[in-house]
Amino acid sequence: MSTYVYGITAATHPSLPEGTGGVGDPPREVRILKEGDLAAVVSDAPEGLRPKRRELLAHQNVLSEVGADGCVLPMRFGSIAPDDKAVTGVLAERAEHYAERLDALDGRVEYNVKATHVEEAVLHHVMAQNPEIRALAESNRQAGGGTYETKIRLGEMVADAVKGKEAEDATTLERALEPAADAVSVGPESTGWLANVSFLVKREAADDFLEAVERARGDMPHLEVRLNGPLPPYSFVEPGPAEPAGTAAGGADAGAG
């Protein structure tokens, strides 16, 4: 039977209530595997696990239950090891790393920030900041729309300028929020978003971080800024003790989308 891994704690972490259920239908009972000073929160892995809402919430609920009593290193949804022995083996092998991560993440949460441009607003910025684009647009207007070639050229110039503005704004946004966080993790490029960044924030400093986000929104009204959190600090744990369950489930955050 494969082993599903929810997270890693200290071996001294309080036990979960008996009968706590995890992923699967019916829910698989959650149990604890101890190895030295560490423990893994696990259950049997159900067959054909997929990142459906019910399963994502089950994964998240287990982490919330464990995290209520102290620090837990959350594994991403779909983390499955061949068996219990493989999990305890990795705990032993990576003991120093996990002990350091438990200490570094204690009392901290993750906020994920994604941003995209408000189309009309960013086009106004691009036109205002680029005399060459303004001149060509005006020339086309006076020529009744311009030729096919000048229309294509204008479109290319605008697209290039918007792309440059995306990179500029992503950097500006990250720099505006970074001082309110302990650590920053830039996520993979996400379709439709110019920025996808996770911030590690002390729980007691969460209000300061949220205020920084609101200031950034006010300073950059041409951006749509999406904030998700507080979340377990998924982006600051890797590597984990198990491989993802497959491309469909592996790496899917429970609630971090």
Side-chain angles (χ1 to χ4, degrees), residues 96-155:
E96 185 176 347
H97 167 76
Y98 290 132
E100 184 276 330
R101 288 288 80 198
L102 282 167
D103 182 62
L105 300 182
D106 190 25
R108 292 163 174 81
V109 293
E110 175 176 332
Y111 285 92
N112 177 257
V113 175
K114 290 185 173 70
T116 189
H117 277 142
V118 178
E119 184 175 358
E120 184 176 343
V122 75
L123 289 176
H124 175 77
H125 270 266
V126 165
M127 295 292 287
Q129 296 174 2
N130 195 311
E132 187 178 359
I133 291 178
R134 289 201 308 274
L136 182 54
E138 178 61 19
S139 175
N140 281 357
R141 187 189 66 80
Q142 292 181 359
T147 66
Y148 173 79
E149 288 76 13
T150 59
K151 289 179 181 177
I152 292 296
R153 175 60 181 152
L154 179 60

Side-chain angles (χ1 to χ4, degrees), residues 26-39:
R28 304 304 194 265
E29 184 171 354
V30 177
R31 47 198 170 81
I32 304 297
L33 300 178
K34 292 187 177 182
E35 176 63 39
D37 294 331
L38 299 171

Side-chain angles (χ1 to χ4, degrees), residues 231-243:
L231 304 165
Y234 293 100
S235 301
F236 302 91
V237 176
E238 300 297 348
E243 293 297 323

Side-chain angles (χ1 to χ4, degrees), residues 2-249:
S2 298
T3 302
Y4 186 95
V5 185
Y6 300 88
I8 297 168
T9 68
T12 54
H13 195 94
S15 297
L16 285 168
E18 187 174 348
T20 298
V23 296
D25 187 15
R28 304 304 194 265
E29 184 171 354
V30 177
R31 47 198 170 81
I32 304 297
L33 300 178
K34 292 187 177 182
E35 176 63 39
D37 294 331
L38 299 171
V41 183
V42 306
S43 68
D44 291 343
E47 294 291 333
L49 183 66
R50 292 292 179 268
K52 297 180 180 179
R53 178 174 174 77
R54 194 191 71 79
E55 302 291 11
L56 291 168
L57 288 175
H59 179 97
Q60 183 66 47
N61 288 341
V62 170
L63 288 172
S64 296
E65 186 83 24
V66 177
D69 291 321
C71 187
V72 56
L73 306 182
M75 296 296 107
R76 294 180 184 274
F77 177 84
S79 294
I80 294 179
D83 51 34
D84 288 1
K85 186 176 180 181
V87 176
T88 55
V90 175
L91 291 183
E93 179 183 344
R94 302 282 297 166
E96 185 176 347
H97 167 76
Y98 290 132
E100 184 276 330
R101 288 288 80 198
L102 282 167
D103 182 62
L105 300 182
D106 190 25
R108 292 163 174 81
V109 293
E110 175 176 332
Y111 285 92
N112 177 257
V113 175
K114 290 185 173 70
T116 189
H117 277 142
V118 178
E119 184 175 358
E120 184 176 343
V122 75
L123 289 176
H124 175 77
H125 270 266
V126 165
M127 295 292 287
Q129 296 174 2
N130 195 311
E132 187 178 359
I133 291 178
R134 289 201 308 274
L136 182 54
E138 178 61 19
S139 175
N140 281 357
R141 187 189 66 80
Q142 292 181 359
T147 66
Y148 173 79
E149 288 76 13
T150 59
K151 289 179 181 177
I152 292 296
R153 175 60 181 152
L154 179 60
E156 291 174 342
M157 290 172 65
V158 170
D160 287 345
V162 168
K163 186 175 182 180
K165 186 65 175 166
E166 287 179 349
E168 175 188 329
D169 286 340
T171 299
T172 301
L173 180 62
E174 182 179 337
R175 287 177 177 171
L177 302 180
E178 189 174 17
D182 281 3
V184 178
S185 176
V186 178
E189 291 186 7
S190 181
T191 303
W193 301 102
L194 62 88
N196 176 21
V197 188
S198 290
F199 297 85
L200 185 67
V201 178
K202 292 186 181 72
R203 288 184 185 274
E204 62 266 26
D207 286 346
D208 293 338
F209 182 80
L210 297 178
E211 289 174 6
V213 172
E214 290 307 312
R215 284 196 301 272
R217 284 174 169 153
D219 293 340
M220 307 174 75
H222 59 291
L223 290 187
E224 177 190 337
V225 178
R226 172 183 168 185
L227 176 68
N228 197 4
L231 304 165
Y234 293 100
S235 301
F236 302 91
V237 176
E238 300 297 348
E243 293 297 323
T247 55

